[in-house]
Amino acid sequence: MKNKAVLSLIEQVIMVLVFAVAAAICLRVFMHADSISQDSSYTDSAFVMAQNTAEMIKNSCGELLLEEGTYFLKENDLVLKAELSETDNQYLGAAEITVYREDEILCEIPVRWQK
C-alpha cells in the first residue's frame, strides 16, 4: 500500500513540475509578444506622424520649413524632424522627414512640392 501512495505522490509532483515549466514558457512568450506589439505600435505612430507632417508641408508649399529650415515635433516618445533638402529643379521644393525613438530611426519620408 505504501508503494502505491509514494508512486502516486511522485506522479503528482512530476505533473506539477511539467505544468510549472509550461506556464513559465508561456509567460515568456506572452511578454515577448507584448514587446513586439509595442514596437509595432510605435512604428505605426511614427508613419502617421510623418505622413501628416508631409501633407502639412505640401499644403503650405514648404512655408512651414522656410523660416528656420528645420521643423521639430515631439509626441509621446517619438521625435519628428523635417529638414529642407536641395533639388536640381528650381521649381520643386524638397524636404526629408525623419522620425526617431531613443536615437533609433523608425521611418524616413522624402517630400516634394511645387513652388
Side-chain angles (χ1 to χ4, degrees), residues 73-94:
L73 176 67
K74 292 183 181 181
E75 185 175 305
N76 298 333
D77 291 338
L78 302 176
V79 177
L80 180 136
K81 180 181 179 185
E83 289 184 301
L84 285 175
S85 56
E86 297 294 322
T87 61
D88 295 336
N89 191 335
Q90 64 181 356
Y91 300 110
L92 286 179

Side-chain angles (χ1 to χ4, degrees), residues 16-62:
V16 167
L17 288 174
V18 167
F19 284 119
V21 169
I25 290 171
C26 287
L27 184 63
R28 184 169 181 171
V29 168
F30 289 142
M31 288 175 58
H32 185 66
D34 183 51
S35 172
I36 291 173
S37 176
Q38 270 186 335
D39 289 345
S40 176
S41 175
Y42 278 120
T43 303
D44 289 344
S45 296
F47 274 101
V48 168
M49 282 177 62
Q51 288 173 344
N52 289 342
T53 306
E55 291 300 321
M56 285 175 24
I57 291 171
K58 285 180 186 179
N59 288 334
S60 70
C61 294

Side-chain angles (χ1 to χ4, degrees), residues 7-24:
L7 288 176
S8 179
L9 182 62
I10 290 174
E11 183 178 314
Q12 289 177 354
V13 167
I14 289 174
M15 290 307 296
V16 167
L17 288 174
V18 167
F19 284 119
V21 169

Side-chain angles (χ1 to χ4, degrees), residues 59-70:
N59 288 334
S60 70
C61 294
E63 289 180 17
L64 185 66
L65 299 174
L66 290 180
E67 294 172 7
E68 297 179 15
T70 304

